Amino acid sequence: MDKIYYSDIKETLYHEKMKNGLEVFLMPKDNFNKTYGLFTTDFGSIDRSFIPLGKENMITVPDGVAHFLEHKMFDLKNGDASEEFAKLGASSNAYTSNVRTSYLFSTTQNENECTELLLDFVQELNVTEESVEKEKGIIIQEIGMYDDNPDWQSYFGAIKNLYHQHPVKIDIAGTADTVRKIDKTILYDCYRTFYQPSNMVLFIAGHIQPDKLMDIIRDNQDKKSFVSMPLVTRGDYQEDKSVFCRREVKYMDVSASKVSIALKINDIPSNIQDRLNRELAFTILLDMLFSKSSDIREEWTLRELINDSFDVTFIQERDYSLFFMSSDTEKTNELEEVFHQFIKNMKDYSADPVIFERMKKKNIGMIIQAFNSPETIASLFSRYYFEGINAFDLISLINNLDIKEIRKISNLFDDDLTSTFLIIPEGKNID
């Protein structure tokens, strides 16, 4: 077992790669009562096409299968994993993103037993055709709830219209039609392929004894047998650089209009360091432009174009990247015009070195603060792990970030690569 001390954050990380390929990371927090465990697989909603383990030909599975599998993982041979965690005094949950699926527990007691339970229930799939059919109704009902959520419709609508082929345009849960196509065989194909130890990472943080817990994890894994796992071969989506749909209006039963705009960012760097520099630069840039004290945000607020619902984010994942901004507004046409003008003006943006350094310090402070939250650091670590990055190195990486990176990304703002999505109250005319 490796033991690594990070002096800048005064944290120690324990690491061991199991014989089966599973990488385990433990971060003890002696002054914490809570322990948080996160078990993550590199499998998300965009992984529709792949070569199943032990087979030669690529298959395409229905949209929403990763999310569906997440639901069914909690089925035990005789019971439910959530109930077993509750018996240990712990809470449990799971979530699926476009590129990952994670299973978690949070507890103030029985952390060793909870870790074993987390490993055991995720490393064994127990489904029947009957349970699969029953789950379809539950998930279809969940999809219906998102259909009525204006924030989700606004966010997803703008992103959906950016892409021609890439499956990020498909809702994580799929649609009612695609969910109905999922069966037991499909779930097992996905499970055997993506839930191999070498395609997963386990991160435990909190009130733990790392030497003892690592022994427990090692013994647990040694008792199990796994097929030798090659790298997963995933489908390659031939995505056009252009935008699929430039503008869409959706009428909903809402009290206020919402304007959203998404910007498609092509040519994602293949080099890990270049990818990270771009992501960190975007994070700093968005703070420079849109922090509560920024000139742009103050101006837009004073003009009553935006309110507290205003949201701006940058997303960069395995093979797609985008910028998104949105707000509720009573001035739909004016805000739409302002959003587009902002993107057009970004090519001429000149970053202030003083503000740049200040925002670097702010983000370093936020990362240091994150280490006081087992949930936050576990999520952050697992997210970067599959990018080939150690989240414990983020502070030094931000420190070394040069303002030239801001100038590079300002050239990525191209209004021809935007998609605008408007949500309008039913019966209201926006023209």
Side-chain angles (χ1 to χ4, degrees):
M1 179 172 65
D2 300 322
K3 179 181 178 181
I4 311 162
Y5 179 71
Y6 295 87
S7 58
D8 52 355
I9 52 176
K10 297 180 174 58
E11 297 285 358
T12 301
L13 184 67
Y14 294 81
H15 164 249
E16 183 170 329
K17 186 173 183 178
M18 301 290 121
K19 295 176 183 177
N20 59 26
L22 174 66
E23 296 220 47
V24 178
F25 296 87
L26 306 179
M27 187 180 80
K29 301 284 287 186
D30 295 335
N31 58 334
F32 277 49
N33 292 321
K34 182 193 294 186
T35 297
Y36 184 86
L38 193 66
F39 197 12
T40 302
T41 176
D42 190 20
F43 174 52
S45 65
I46 69 172
D47 295 308
R48 298 188 308 167
S49 297
F50 60 91
I51 297 178
L53 180 64
K55 300 182 181 179
E56 297 181 356
N57 298 321
M58 187 164 293
I59 66 170
T60 298
V61 295
D63 297 323
V65 70
H67 173 259
F68 199 112
L69 185 55
E70 172 219 309
H71 275 233
K72 297 311 298 171
M73 287 307 308
F74 283 84
D75 290 359
L76 304 178
K77 287 181 178 178
N78 297 297
D80 180 88
S82 297
E83 295 175 0
E84 296 303 311
F85 276 110
K87 291 176 183 177
L88 293 171
S91 61
S92 61
N93 210 336
Y95 56 87
T96 303
S97 73
N98 293 124
V99 294
R100 288 176 296 280
T101 306
S102 295
Y103 301 85
L104 62 92
F105 73 81
S106 180
T107 189
T108 58
Q109 57 185 315
N110 299 316
E111 56 274 358
N112 295 338
E113 292 84 352
C114 287
T115 300
E116 281 213 89
L117 177 56
L118 179 65
L119 287 166
D120 289 344
F121 95 84
V122 176
Q123 290 185 324
E124 183 178 3
L125 178 61
N126 296 286
V127 295
T128 63
E129 291 292 2
E130 292 77 15
S131 70
V132 171
E133 289 304 311
K134 181 179 178 180
E135 198 68 36
K136 290 179 182 180
I138 297 171
I139 293 178
I140 289 172
Q141 186 178 24
E142 181 181 333
I143 291 170
M145 293 172 59
Y146 282 107
D147 287 342
D148 295 330
N149 185 314
D151 291 331
W152 178 252
Q153 288 298 311
S154 172
Y155 170 78
F156 181 69
I159 293 175
K160 174 190 68 175
N161 288 336
L162 286 182
Y163 295 92
H164 297 261
Q165 302 292 336
H166 197 289
V168 71
K169 71 187 278 98
I170 307 297
D171 191 300
I172 289 172
T175 66
D177 287 340
T178 63
V179 166
R180 292 189 184 100
K181 297 176 182 177
I182 296 172
D183 59 27
K184 178 181 173 181
T185 299
I186 291 171
L187 292 177
Y188 270 101
D189 274 341
C190 293
Y191 179 77
R192 293 189 188 100
T193 303
F194 293 102
Y195 280 68
Q196 292 291 330
S198 57
N199 196 52
M200 304 185 74
V201 63
L202 175 66
F203 189 95
I204 311 289
H207 188 69
I208 57 174
Q209 300 176 43
D211 291 329
K212 181 178 180 180
L213 184 55
M214 194 67 84
D215 284 342
I216 291 171
I217 295 169
R218 193 182 303 113
D219 290 344
N220 178 283
Q221 295 300 282
D222 285 346
K223 294 174 185 176
K224 299 173 182 177
S225 177
F226 296 92
V227 178
S228 179
M229 178 67 189
L231 288 174
V232 179
T233 302
R234 308 172 198 256
D236 182 19
Y237 305 99
Q238 300 300 315
E239 176 62 31
D240 193 275
K241 290 183 179 294
S242 66
V243 170
F244 175 70
C245 175
R246 290 298 308 277
R247 188 175 188 269
E248 183 178 352
V249 178
K250 184 180 182 71
Y251 290 90
M252 295 185 68
D253 183 15
V254 294
S255 58
S257 299
K258 183 181 286 287
V259 177
S260 300
I261 186 167
L263 168 68
K264 188 176 189 178
I265 298 175
N266 296 308
D267 303 321
I268 302 173
S270 57
N271 178 272
I272 292 175
Q273 187 61 55
D274 291 341
R275 285 170 61 92
L276 182 60
N277 283 343
R278 175 179 287 189
E279 181 173 334
L280 295 177
F282 255 104
T283 301
I284 302 296
L285 175 63
L286 296 190
D287 273 340
M288 295 173 70
L289 293 170
F290 298 114
S291 65
K292 291 291 179 73
S293 60
S294 70
D295 292 340
I296 292 179
R297 187 160 187 158
E298 182 178 6
E299 178 195 346
W300 291 358
T301 301
L302 290 174
R303 291 170 60 183
E304 298 182 338
L305 297 175
I306 63 172
N307 53 30
D308 288 341
S309 69
F310 178 69
D311 180 43
V312 57
T313 188
F314 169 73
I315 299 171
Q316 180 173 268
E317 290 291 358
R318 191 190 302 148
D319 59 358
Y320 69 92
S321 183
L322 59 96
F323 165 80
F324 173 85
M325 59 196 309
S326 174
S327 182
D328 294 347
T329 186
E330 294 296 329
K331 300 181 178 181
T332 310
N333 293 337
E334 189 175 351
L335 182 57
E336 181 181 358
E337 182 180 338
V338 164
F339 276 176
H340 281 286
Q341 192 58 53
F342 161 77
I343 289 175
K344 292 175 183 176
N345 292 341
M346 277 304 297
K347 289 188 181 297
D348 299 320
Y349 176 74
S350 179
D352 185 323
V354 175
I355 299 177
F356 174 71
E357 292 299 325
R358 185 167 74 240
M359 291 305 170
K360 281 173 59 174
K361 292 178 181 177
K362 173 191 172 183
N363 278 270
I364 289 172
M366 291 173 64
I367 292 174
I368 293 174
Q369 187 176 11
F371 280 89
N372 290 321
S373 167
E375 297 92 339
T376 303
I377 191 57
S379 178
L380 192 69
F381 187 91
S382 298
R383 179 256 187 268
Y384 280 110
Y385 169 83
F386 292 111
E387 295 281 325
I389 298 161
N390 186 337
F392 283 67
D393 295 328
L394 285 176
I395 290 175
S396 61
L397 292 169
I398 294 175
N399 260 326
N400 294 329
L401 193 68
D402 192 279
I403 197 169
K404 293 178 182 178
E405 298 296 333
I406 299 291
R407 300 189 183 107
K408 289 180 184 178
I409 63 174
S410 60
N411 291 321
L412 298 173
F413 286 81
D414 185 345
D415 194 56
D416 290 335
L417 297 179
T418 60
S419 174
T420 304
F421 195 88
L422 308 178
I423 290 182
I424 308 297
E426 293 175 343
K428 182 177 179 179
N429 191 340
I430 65 170
D431 296 327

